[in-house]
Amino acid sequence: MGTAVYLYVLIKIILFKYAPVDIAFLWRQLHSMLEHPGMIRYGLAFANFTPFVSISQNLHQLSNPHDFVNLFGNIALFVPLGIFIRLLAKRGLFTALVLSFGISFSLEGTQLLLSMGSFDVDDLILNVLGGLLGYVICLKSPRKHGKAQLQQQVLVEKTS
């Protein structure tokens, strides 16, 4: 359930920004794109395919709220994904990398195809960084009731 809510919030923020989620709008956008495929070329013309261009711009303009949110927001949005991968799926770092990239690429591609934003390779980089960061946070943070700790607690209680 938590994963579904997270994915909903992720889609809401990346595709719809501050507008309400509107499935009918998605269908209208898709229909419009099918009727006017040249719009994809227009979106491609404004896409950023050069790594670190947007990141560099954001780093140099951190005092600008838009740049600050773009930089750190793209990382923060994917931290929960890395946590879910580690805790719920019990998968490795490579899985966190692949899933973070796959979900981010899907959302970036959807933005491009439905004219709901612009494709930016730096968003992919930051999103994957966020997913990996979430995964590493889980590795480094101690669990309150880890298996070894529970076994030690049982031994202490038996000897008391």
Side-chain angles (χ1 to χ4, degrees):
M1 179 67 171
T3 306
V5 170
Y6 166 70
L7 290 175
Y8 172 83
V9 169
L10 194 62
I11 290 168
K12 161 75 174 102
I13 292 171
I14 292 177
L15 294 183
F16 292 95
K17 311 293 187 258
Y18 302 106
V21 174
D22 184 353
I23 302 301
F25 174 76
L26 290 177
W27 284 114
R28 287 191 303 273
Q29 287 296 101
L30 179 60
H31 183 68
S32 177
M33 295 304 288
L34 292 173
E35 286 183 344
H36 309 286
M39 291 178 66
I40 293 175
R41 281 191 297 267
Y42 179 80
L44 287 170
F46 290 97
N48 172 31
F49 294 104
T50 308
F52 304 108
V53 169
S54 297
I55 292 171
S56 177
Q57 177 186 2
N58 293 153
L59 285 171
H60 287 96
Q61 298 177 7
L62 282 179
S63 60
N64 179 328
H66 177 268
D67 288 300
F68 183 87
V69 169
N70 188 59
L71 183 68
F72 294 107
N74 273 306
I75 295 169
L77 277 174
F78 276 72
V79 169
L81 180 63
I83 293 170
F84 286 139
I85 292 167
R86 176 70 181 143
L87 295 180
L88 301 179
K90 298 188 186 333
R91 296 300 204 167
L93 187 64
F94 182 74
T95 301
L97 175 89
V98 170
L99 283 177
S100 296
F101 179 82
I103 291 171
S104 179
F105 185 77
S106 297
L107 291 169
E108 287 293 311
T110 301
Q111 282 183 330
L112 175 66
L113 292 175
L114 299 181
S115 292
M116 297 179 70
S118 59
F119 182 93
D120 190 340
V121 71
D122 287 343
D123 289 350
L124 287 171
I125 293 168
L126 294 170
N127 294 160
V128 170
L129 178 63
L132 295 176
L133 182 63
Y135 184 90
V136 170
I137 287 170
C138 282
L139 286 178
K140 298 297 180 187
S141 64
R143 293 189 203 173
K144 288 186 177 183
H145 299 291
K147 186 177 177 181
Q149 187 177 7
L150 286 174
Q151 288 173 342
Q152 185 177 11
Q153 186 177 355
V154 169
L155 287 174
V156 169
E157 288 175 4
K158 282 184 180 181
T159 58
S160 301

